[in-house]
Amino acid sequence: AVERTLSIIKPDATKRNLTGKINAKFEDAGLRIVAQKRIHLTKAQAGVFYAVHAERPFYDELCEFMASEPVVVQVLEGESAIAKNREVMGATNPADAAPGTVRAEFAESVGENSVHGSDAPETAAVEIAYFFSGLELVG
Ligand code: CMP
């Protein structure tokens, strides 16, 4: 089925001008960027987005990092977009990411791993709604 997923190009990647190279990988995989904006999150806004990780030891560091530089938030659309995006991103830890994936090529560490992508349809819906209104999604 055609799905939409929430993608974030993280501070380590925007800082190194990798937005275009990462978007090329998404588009080459057949994912359409139907919404996109560059924003600078506050630590509190990052904290709400990652609330599911609030009890993890890396939560504070993660929120600091996500607020350290601008991010690009985007909605990707396509056939099985959630799984396809996760394939293009590669494993969370770049040491485990398959060759050619975004994280294998660009990520600096398990924390500064260049991209985020929703992990399921329910989380995609919540995450998209956190950043975009319906009018901003242009399929
Ligand atoms: P993401 O897919 O955005 O979801 C949660 C994020 O937490 C993850 O990518 C990483 O950036 C971060 N993360 C996961 N595990 C660790 C870890 N062991 N140490 C630091 N950050 C982590």
Side-chain angles (χ1 to χ4, degrees):
V2 174
E3 295 172 341
R4 285 174 171 173
T5 191
L6 189 281
S7 166
I8 305 178
I9 301 178
K10 295 186 180 184
D12 67 283
T14 61
K15 193 166 61 181
R16 289 177 289 149
N17 287 351
L18 293 171
T19 299
K21 286 185 173 144
I22 292 171
N23 278 348
K25 287 191 182 289
F26 294 149
E27 293 189 329
D28 287 349
L31 293 164
R32 185 180 301 277
I33 302 165
V34 299
Q36 174 167 261
K37 58 191 170 189
R38 183 174 171 97
I39 59 176
H40 196 146
L41 290 169
T42 65
K43 190 177 173 186
Q45 289 167 339
V48 171
F49 180 77
Y50 280 120
V52 65
H53 296 303
E55 303 308 319
R56 304 279 195 98
F58 56 79
Y59 179 66
D60 191 68
E61 178 194 339
L62 173 62
C63 296
E64 286 274 357
F65 165 62
M66 291 299 288
S68 66
E69 295 275 340
V71 298
V72 173
V73 292
Q74 48 193 190
V75 179
L76 308 179
E77 181 183 273
E79 188 65 32
S80 304
I82 295 166
K84 192 173 279 180
N85 181 39
R86 294 178 73 79
E87 263 181 55
V88 174
M89 289 193 296
T92 302
N93 187 340
D96 303 327
T101 61
V102 172
R103 284 165 172 161
E105 286 192 17
F106 302 128
E108 303 198 292
S109 66
V110 66
E112 306 202 1
N113 63 355
S114 302
V115 282
H116 165 84
S118 307
D119 63 3
E122 301 72 33
T123 43
V126 172
E127 291 180 2
I128 290 169
Y130 188 60
F131 291 113
F132 293 98
S133 76
L135 283 175
E136 292 177 296
L137 307 176
V138 185

